[in-house]
Amino acid sequence: MDIISTLPLNIIETILCFLPIQDAARTSILSREWRYHWIKIPKLSFIEETFQVSTDSDELSDTGNQEMIKKRKLFDAIDHILQLHEDPIHEFTLSMVTEGTPQDFDCMMFLMLHRNTIKKLKLEFVPGYTFHLGVFASHPLTDLHLVGCSLYSEPLFEGFANLSSLYIQDVTASKETLLLILSGCPLLKNATLDIDYLTYPENDDSTVINLFEYLTMVENLTLRFGIFEYFALDDIPQKLSIALVHLKYLCLKDICFIHSCGLLIIALLIKNSPNLEKLKLEILDDSWVEIYERRDLFTLEDDSNIWLEHLNELEIVNMIYRDVELDFVKLILAKSPALKKVRILLYNEVAKDEELQISEIFKQCSHASSVVDVVVEGIRGSCTSSRCVM
């Protein structure tokens, strides 16, 4: 008995969505009934590493053209599949591992986006791809994931009116383009700006305030600290013009506590996020920071305006056994009455005895929460835990 063919159509489509697109297409030979199932699935995924492209031996005789020929045939195959596809496509993924962009890539993407009701788009490239934002003109995307490309804005681009989730990693763009994207996302709820390189004109004086004024609706935010280097940091205010009242999860990657603006940025964010529930900090190896870059550190301990009423979880990765990091954790413990869990993953050069000392320091310091678990983990897998019951 053919049990799988008796399954509801939506179940069959779900199963096909988990298959590589070539395997899904091969199901068309199973029977007349299965011939058209694959062209109706709402989710398409093209992964270059797993995509098999047939090539003639003559075409591959010139090794310099091998990758270009394979890429050309891959894009031809994608275009062919898109033309055969009948029902709406709601999610599209393309992952490339070789360099170079076919000249008609933007055209193919433009036609695909405007022929389908795609909601989620995931594009992953190696650095070097150029992507024009005009391709997205007037398209109702809700989820956009971009990795490893260069972004350019055009007059046709008017923003993402329906976008709720944005993920950008290893992307090259101007500050103007980045701010243009964020300003055109009024419904943005989840944002990951995992970039540390931006181009900008010499006379550009936009500040971190200009960045955060476009993130006021975000609930989950991940930022790489390097992004702040491209904004004017001479006068970081203590208060934003509009508080981040919707922000519940904040992750700062490659944060440097001894950087001249490290604590200033952290203070600005936690003081203006009254409903923050989880804070995660990934500390950068700051041996590169020169002595002349270090100036009088902003002391969080002296700021009575900090009160994290809703914070229930703190996680710090690569913590160093140093007063500035220890004082920060002690401050959070003293200012977070709802805190339940603190997880500290130590830097790999922290010794076992120092690990025990850190755990003891946090156990003895003041806690605003009646019950909080503080877990300190060494790089060697060791773990010390203390629970404070007030």
Side-chain angles (χ1 to χ4, degrees):
M1 183 177 177
D2 182 7
I3 298 177
I4 193 170
S5 295
T6 64
L7 293 172
L9 181 59
N10 65 317
I11 300 298
I12 292 176
E13 290 180 349
T14 299
I15 294 173
L16 292 177
C17 284
F18 282 101
L19 294 176
I21 187 61
Q22 285 177 303
D23 291 339
R26 291 189 182 105
T27 62
S28 62
I29 66 173
L30 294 177
S31 67
R32 183 177 300 176
E33 181 181 354
W34 277 83
R35 185 175 182 181
Y36 299 107
H37 278 324
W38 77 276
I39 63 175
K40 298 178 182 295
I41 58 178
K43 177 181 177 181
L44 294 181
S45 180
F46 298 91
I47 311 299
E48 185 182 16
E49 288 183 308
T50 63
F51 204 92
Q52 301 298 318
V53 182
S54 61
T55 53
D56 298 329
S57 57
D58 292 339
E59 291 179 316
L60 296 180
S61 58
D62 183 355
T63 56
N65 292 329
Q66 289 184 17
E67 295 298 336
M68 182 183 67
I69 293 171
K70 289 182 179 181
K71 189 182 300 297
R72 178 68 272 161
K73 291 200 171 187
L74 169 61
F75 277 88
D76 287 344
I78 294 174
D79 186 58
H80 181 64
I81 290 173
L82 291 176
Q83 290 183 37
L84 291 175
H85 200 278
E86 292 183 356
D87 284 4
I89 302 171
H90 299 305
E91 186 172 343
F92 182 89
T93 298
L94 174 61
S95 177
M96 306 294 296
V97 294
T98 55
E99 298 180 356
T101 306
Q103 293 181 350
D104 57 352
F105 172 71
D106 282 353
C107 180
M108 183 191 75
M109 292 298 300
F110 181 85
L111 292 175
M112 180 195 68
L113 288 169
H114 289 269
R115 285 188 310 205
N116 297 278
T117 56
I118 294 177
K119 299 298 183 183
K120 297 183 178 181
L121 179 63
K122 184 176 182 179
L123 302 175
E124 296 185 349
F125 306 109
V126 292
Y129 274 83
T130 300
F131 206 82
H132 296 87
L133 291 174
V135 170
F136 299 112
S138 304
H139 195 277
L141 282 173
T142 61
D143 192 314
L144 179 60
H145 183 119
L146 294 175
V147 176
C149 60
S150 298
L151 292 177
Y152 289 92
S153 58
E154 296 177 347
L156 289 176
F157 180 70
E158 297 179 353
F160 300 100
N162 299 289
L163 201 70
S164 61
S165 182
L166 174 65
Y167 182 99
I168 299 178
Q169 180 182 2
D170 297 331
V171 166
T172 299
S174 67
K175 279 203 302 182
E176 180 183 12
T177 297
L178 176 61
L179 295 178
L180 177 64
I181 293 173
L182 296 177
S183 66
C185 302
L187 303 180
L188 196 61
K189 301 296 183 184
N190 306 289
T192 296
L193 305 180
D194 192 1
I195 54 180
D196 56 7
Y197 178 76
L198 294 171
T199 60
Y200 59 97
E202 293 182 1
N203 297 325
D204 187 297
D205 59 353
S206 54
T207 68
V208 291
I209 303 301
N210 302 118
L211 174 65
F212 290 124
E213 68 182 3
Y214 298 127
L215 299 171
T216 55
M217 298 299 294
V218 171
E219 297 177 2
N220 302 286
L221 178 62
T222 297
L223 296 170
R224 185 174 292 278
F225 183 72
I227 194 174
F228 299 115
E229 294 286 345
Y230 297 89
F231 292 87
L233 297 175
D234 294 335
D235 185 22
I236 298 178
Q238 294 190 23
K239 190 174 183 179
L240 295 174
S241 56
I242 303 177
L244 305 175
V245 296
H246 298 282
L247 189 61
K248 295 182 179 180
Y249 170 80
L250 172 63
C251 175
L252 293 177
K253 305 180 73 172
D254 288 351
I255 186 70
C256 179
F257 274 77
I258 64 172
H259 187 279
S260 58
C261 297
L263 282 176
L264 289 171
I265 293 294
I266 297 176
L268 176 67
L269 285 169
I270 64 176
K271 286 194 299 182
N272 290 274
S273 305
N275 297 307
L276 190 65
E277 296 178 0
K278 179 176 179 179
L279 175 63
K280 181 177 181 179
L281 302 177
E282 298 181 7
I283 300 177
L284 176 71
D285 176 7
D286 52 26
S287 58
W288 57 271
V289 179
E290 300 291 342
I291 296 297
Y292 66 81
E293 290 184 2
R294 305 179 186 180
R295 62 191 186 198
D296 292 338
L297 295 174
F298 175 80
T299 306
L300 288 170
E301 201 172 36
D302 297 335
D303 199 321
S304 59
N305 295 327
I306 295 177
W307 186 250
L308 303 172
E309 185 175 357
H310 300 283
L311 189 71
N312 57 61
E313 186 173 349
L314 170 67
E315 181 177 0
I316 299 182
V317 179
N318 288 333
M319 180 172 164
I320 304 171
Y321 187 23
R322 197 165 47 191
D323 287 344
V324 63
E325 282 87 357
L326 296 175
D327 289 344
F328 175 78
V329 176
K330 289 192 289 185
L331 173 73
I332 298 300
L333 288 170
K335 300 285 187 174
S336 307
L339 195 61
K340 296 179 180 179
K341 181 179 180 181
V342 175
R343 179 175 180 264
I344 308 295
L345 181 61
L346 300 176
Y347 184 59
N348 58 7
E349 294 185 1
V350 176
K352 177 62 178 178
D353 59 333
E354 293 176 329
E355 175 188 333
L356 296 173
Q357 292 173 21
I358 292 172
S359 181
E360 188 64 25
I361 289 172
F362 294 152
K363 182 178 180 180
Q364 298 296 330
C365 69
S366 175
H367 299 73
S369 173
S370 58
V371 177
V372 57
D373 283 320
V374 180
V375 178
V376 179
E377 301 179 35
I379 195 66
R380 304 166 190 80
S382 58
C383 175
T384 57
S385 176
S386 63
R387 188 178 192 187
C388 176
V389 181
M390 302 299 290

